[in-house]
Amino acid sequence: LIKPKMAGKFDFPLLVRGFLTFIFVLAGIQKVINILDHEHMVENFEKFAKLWMVENFYLTATSFRLLVGFGELVAAACLWIPSLCQLAILVLTFTMLGASLTHFALGESTLFPLVLMLMLYYTLQNNRYRAEPTTTAAHAHSHSSKKE
């Protein structure tokens, strides 16, 4: 269950989740729609597609870019859906791992994807949607009988 926050208390995990959502929505839109320096993104994904030989997976540079972009958009939205939040964090973490490896292989900075991975880890650890272990009456009884 989601526990209510105390009134007036600053919610830093919520701020981090909001920032991650903003970044991944912006990145996804940049890959999918012809705005925000889209041509640069198209050129980059031509290089990325050659590096990862995506044609072996029946993908073109365009389909690879669109797959990553739509994945970022969907996962960013799922950060706010309790039943999908952990899956979204996993998808975005693997996306950033791929981005880090790609930029490293091309001799570019990996700082931003690595920082985003740390923020995703922080979000996972402070996830108010995370399922907490429940104690059943039978489970509690079995532990109390062992003490006797």
Side-chain angles (χ1 to χ4, degrees):
L1 295 175
I2 298 173
K3 297 177 185 173
K5 292 285 184 182
M6 295 179 356
K9 185 178 178 188
F10 182 72
D11 193 348
F12 188 71
L14 186 66
L15 178 69
V16 172
R17 187 188 310 252
F19 177 77
L20 286 168
T21 302
F22 174 76
I23 291 298
F24 285 112
V25 165
L26 196 63
I29 287 173
Q30 186 180 22
K31 290 173 183 76
V32 172
I33 301 173
N34 190 9
I35 59 172
L36 303 171
D37 199 19
H38 178 76
E39 289 306 315
H40 181 69
M41 189 63 65
V42 170
E43 291 170 14
N44 281 343
F45 267 83
E46 291 291 335
K47 288 190 297 189
F48 304 161
K50 287 177 186 169
L51 176 69
W52 294 111
M53 299 180 288
V54 299
E55 69 276 358
N56 292 336
F57 302 98
Y58 305 103
L59 294 171
T60 64
T62 299
S63 59
F64 181 47
R65 176 178 44 81
L66 292 174
L67 179 69
V68 172
F70 281 119
E72 288 173 334
L73 289 168
V74 170
C78 289
L79 286 173
W80 299 93
I81 301 172
S83 60
L84 298 175
C85 183
Q86 289 178 326
L87 179 61
I89 290 170
L90 181 68
V91 167
L92 292 171
T93 299
F94 277 108
T95 302
M96 290 301 94
L97 180 60
S100 295
L101 293 172
T102 300
H103 291 294
F104 179 78
L106 295 172
E108 301 169 353
S109 174
T110 60
L111 181 62
F112 193 61
L114 292 173
V115 168
L116 290 176
M117 281 195 289
L118 287 173
M119 292 175 79
L120 287 161
Y121 179 74
Y122 174 83
T123 301
L124 180 65
Q125 293 303 309
N126 293 281
N127 181 7
R128 74 173 90 175
Y129 301 140
R130 187 171 53 198
E132 296 190 15
T134 57
T135 307
T136 62
H139 183 72
H141 178 69
S142 68
H143 282 290
S144 65
S145 63
K146 288 181 183 176
K147 292 179 184 176
E148 294 174 4

